[in-house]
Amino acid sequence: MKGRVVGAETVTVTKNEIMAGLNKPEDFILAVVEVDGESTTPRYVRKPFKTEPDFAATSVNYNLRELLATATEAL
């Protein structure tokens, strides 16, 4: 699960999270929660990753709007 303030442009995902999503794509769901003060909106992205990160990468920044374009609001 990743929490981001409403209006954020990116979300950082660790290499381990990406590899888990690529290794078991049917079992992995990335939850992104947009936070606006006391209000929260969870969104769920199935199969969010297309490629492995570079060997030396420890994390990758993703464009939040592009990532959420395929999200659903409920499981």
Side-chain angles (χ1 to χ4, degrees), residues 14-38:
T14 68
K15 183 177 185 174
N16 286 341
E17 291 166 331
I18 296 167
M19 295 308 293
L22 291 171
N23 287 331
K24 292 197 157 220
E26 300 302 322
D27 296 333
F28 187 88
I29 299 171
L30 178 65
V32 179
V33 179
E34 291 187 290
V35 179
D36 187 7
E38 296 293 318

Side-chain angles (χ1 to χ4, degrees), residues 32-63:
V32 179
V33 179
E34 291 187 290
V35 179
D36 187 7
E38 296 293 318
S39 175
T40 59
T41 304
R43 308 276 305 278
Y44 304 95
V45 185
R46 294 182 186 275
K47 299 181 183 177
F49 313 119
K50 307 290 185 252
T51 60
E52 291 183 18
D54 290 342
F55 175 76
T58 57
S59 62
V60 177
N61 285 335
Y62 285 89
N63 179 294

